[in-house]
Amino acid sequence: MSSPQIVWLRRDLRMADQPALYAAAQGGPVIPVYVFDQDRAGDHADGGASKVWLHHSLESLGRSYGARNSRIVLRRGDAPQVLAALADETGATCIHAMRHYEPWWKEAEDELRDALGEDTKLCLYDGNYLLPPGSVTTGSGDPYKIYTPFSKAMLERMPPRDPLPEPETIHSPDSWPESDELAEWDLLPTKPDWAGGIRDFWDFGEDAAHERLEWWSDVVAEYDEGRNLPSEDITSRLSPHLHWGEISPAQVWHKLKDKRSDGWKTYAKEVIWRDYAQNVIDQFPDYPTQSYRDYDERTLWRNPNAGHLIAQDLECWQKGMTGYPIVDAGMRQLWQTGWMHNRVRMICASFLVKHLLIDWRFGEQWYWDCLVDADYGNNGVNWQWISGTGVDSNMFVRIMAPLTQSEKFDAAAYIREYVPELADLDDACIHDPPDERRGDYPVKMIGHKEARERALEAYRSSKD
């Protein structure tokens, strides 16, 4: 029998359109390996919600491999060292892996090449994005920094390559290396078990991703207007499936590409935004931690580490106790389900950085811990867009009005679901309840007009 082929799994937890798995299956017996390497990513190690999704996704993928008389080898530790040792132990001649663009994974790929012996090579494949980051460039050959021209250039090269099928056969090695038990990794919370809302809200794994895509293909036509309505289920909710690689963007694109609707055109641009975010972090690896506009940030931001009252403001935002129903509904949905409606994500993020003037990085870290689709590129790019600090971003002086947004996009039912203490209020009142009708619900932390004037003054001072 030919030599074993290791498949290094990361955020590519699927069987179909998985180029690394497909290539490995052509080369010999396949040993799929997931290495739980948390130290490498530092502040961007998997957050609590991401660990919950990872557990269930690995569990689902393990069943899929089991149905093919195969299995996933689970190991914990420094990924390059673990994989190099495993290649030596099994006699593997190649480690196949999907290429990743987070800085810690790029570093790990380089370290793994150096750690492998002469008889083993590392083969990297593209396929987690529509096109490989760095492959779409300007006329002068430079990578794009601004989304709009990037998107236009991407659309000219669509559709992406055809998706690959599952391998026809996955051969097993003569003997399997030892493996951890998934439960030993303690990815799931115990006491208290705060993940019940995540389990209730989501189905995990490759089959669930394709079931949601099938549903979405019938709904996407409504998306152009429906995407702004948090009370309606008119968003794809494919983001965690795409993030964890349970489905590929090529599979999504080819499923929807023949749709002739404004909804598909709008959604297509959002799928391209995902590619754009990876292109940004490929150019600026520290983008989720470093601003790229010329502000005096000591003047612009209120730092929760510098004072108790500012820390209290941050905590009220995190817990959904700001006194703004649409903001609080969003923050509570985030905590309960590990996800937040996109329109509301923007409202909540804008509230933190402009109404409360709290440094966007505190928001980035909270979203990182709470989101099941927490993505290094998307999260950083989105926060820098809303805070006006990124290479391509909204102007800081454009300050979203949460109360107006709530009424405009008919968020009454959404508020009732996630802020139950206001459930008895009618639609006319629920977006901005008068103080005497709030009951136990808090009054507004700061008035919108006052917050807007304070933010504009801070901005002016930061530019002087």
Side-chain angles (χ1 to χ4, degrees):
M1 181 177 285
S2 54
S3 300
Q5 309 288 301
I6 291 175
V7 177
W8 177 20
L9 300 171
R10 285 175 286 178
R11 292 190 301 100
D12 33 50
L13 305 179
R14 60 185 181 273
M15 304 287 287
D17 199 31
Q18 219 286 25
L21 171 62
Y22 191 84
Q26 317 307 310
V30 175
I31 304 175
V33 181
Y34 189 96
V35 183
F36 189 53
D37 182 356
Q38 286 289 278
D39 294 338
R40 179 169 296 276
D43 290 342
H44 284 86
D46 290 334
S50 289
K51 289 178 182 176
V52 171
W53 192 285
L54 174 61
H55 176 98
H56 291 293
S57 190
L58 283 172
E59 200 171 50
S60 175
L61 187 63
R63 289 193 293 268
S64 296
Y65 273 108
R68 306 289 294 272
N69 295 315
S70 185
R71 66 185 71 170
I72 303 174
V73 174
L74 303 176
R75 293 284 178 94
R76 183 166 31 190
D78 180 81
Q81 294 180 17
V82 169
L83 289 163
L86 193 58
D88 186 58
E89 173 190 342
T90 60
T93 55
C94 186
I95 296 177
H96 303 263
M98 301 293 288
R99 188 174 278 108
H100 284 58
Y101 292 87
E102 293 86 351
W104 58 90
W105 286 135
K106 292 172 72 173
E107 180 182 72
E109 291 163 6
D110 290 340
E111 290 178 10
L112 179 56
R113 285 190 192 92
D114 294 338
L116 292 175
E118 293 182 359
D119 296 330
T120 308
K121 59 182 178 179
L122 173 63
C123 297
L124 296 176
Y125 305 84
D126 292 299
N128 278 347
Y129 301 96
L130 293 169
L131 293 173
S135 65
V136 180
T137 57
T138 66
S140 60
D142 296 322
Y144 285 98
K145 295 181 176 65
I146 306 300
Y147 168 74
T148 299
F150 174 84
S151 177
K152 290 178 180 177
M154 284 281 294
L155 285 168
E156 290 175 357
R157 295 179 58 176
M158 291 294 103
R161 59 166 181 79
D162 290 336
L164 294 167
E166 285 189 29
E168 291 184 7
T169 304
I170 301 177
H171 294 291
S172 295
D174 291 335
S175 62
W176 283 97
E178 291 186 4
S179 173
D180 293 348
E181 293 293 331
L182 184 58
E184 295 174 355
W185 289 358
D186 295 326
L187 299 177
L188 301 179
T190 52
K191 296 179 181 179
D193 180 9
W194 47 259
I198 295 176
R199 293 193 298 271
D200 291 343
F201 196 76
W202 296 102
D203 294 316
F204 308 91
E206 188 172 7
D207 289 344
H210 284 277
E211 288 171 8
R212 186 68 185 185
L213 176 60
E214 191 67 37
W215 172 88
W216 181 234
S217 68
D218 294 328
V219 177
V220 69
E222 305 172 39
Y223 185 62
D224 190 47
E225 294 186 4
R227 66 193 172 120
N228 289 313
L229 305 175
S231 295
E232 304 290 337
D233 186 11
I234 311 179
T235 61
S236 75
R237 293 189 191 170
L238 286 170
S239 56
H241 299 294
L242 283 164
H243 171 72
W244 290 104
E246 296 172 346
I247 196 169
S248 75
Q251 289 172 313
V252 173
W253 195 281
H254 282 280
K255 177 71 174 178
L256 302 173
K257 67 182 180 181
D258 294 327
K259 302 291 182 181
R260 297 289 184 263
S261 68
D262 290 338
W264 160 238
K265 292 176 183 177
T266 297
Y267 183 68
K269 292 178 181 177
E270 294 183 358
V271 178
I272 289 173
W273 180 271
R274 183 173 175 272
D275 269 53
Y276 168 71
Q278 293 303 306
N279 275 265
V280 170
I281 65 165
D282 194 36
Q283 297 174 70
F284 309 108
D286 57 356
Y287 198 81
T289 61
Q290 180 177 321
S291 294
Y292 278 82
R293 291 287 179 95
D294 185 20
Y295 299 124
D296 182 348
E297 296 192 282
R298 296 168 299 177
T299 302
L300 183 59
W301 305 122
R302 303 164 67 233
N303 189 327
N305 294 329
H308 177 65
L309 293 179
I310 305 173
Q312 280 187 330
D313 285 353
L314 175 62
E315 185 177 3
C316 287
W317 176 80
Q318 291 170 336
K319 292 183 175 180
M321 297 294 285
T322 69
Y324 284 77
I326 184 66
V327 174
D328 295 336
M331 297 307 294
R332 297 184 195 187
Q333 182 188 34
L334 173 64
W335 179 258
Q336 291 176 33
T337 71
W339 182 85
M340 196 195 309
H341 186 278
N342 184 59
R343 166 62 56 175
V344 187
R345 284 194 202 197
M346 290 191 293
I347 294 170
C348 291
S350 176
F351 188 89
L352 180 74
V353 297
K354 296 177 182 177
H355 282 67
L356 300 183
L357 282 179
I358 289 177
D359 192 325
W360 62 270
R361 281 158 285 223
F362 288 91
E364 192 274 344
Q365 278 292 298
W366 185 253
Y367 276 23
W368 181 263
D369 191 45
C370 293
L371 284 169
V372 293
D373 61 3
D375 182 273
Y376 186 74
N378 270 356
N379 201 34
V381 168
N382 290 344
W383 272 98
Q384 291 233 50
W385 187 87
I386 202 70
S387 65
T389 57
V391 291
D392 184 5
S393 59
N394 196 11
M395 296 176 63
F396 183 89
V397 295
R398 292 182 178 174
I399 299 172
M400 298 181 80
L403 306 176
T404 302
Q405 291 272 315
S406 181
E407 186 171 4
K408 178 180 179 181
F409 296 118
D410 194 20
Y414 177 76
I415 293 169
R416 290 190 184 96
E417 180 173 3
Y418 291 105
V419 189
E421 57 265 49
L422 300 179
D424 293 337
L425 299 183
D426 57 35
D427 287 5
C429 182
I430 198 169
H431 305 287
D432 185 16
D435 291 350
E436 64 272 12
R437 298 196 61 184
R438 289 178 176 247
D440 294 332
Y441 181 68
V443 297
K444 291 193 280 288
M445 298 173 64
I446 187 172
H448 173 65
K449 182 179 179 181
E450 177 188 353
R452 186 175 186 279
E453 291 174 351
R454 182 176 69 171
L456 293 176
E457 177 56 34
Y459 174 74
R460 283 191 291 268
S461 297
S462 74
K463 300 296 287 184
D464 288 343

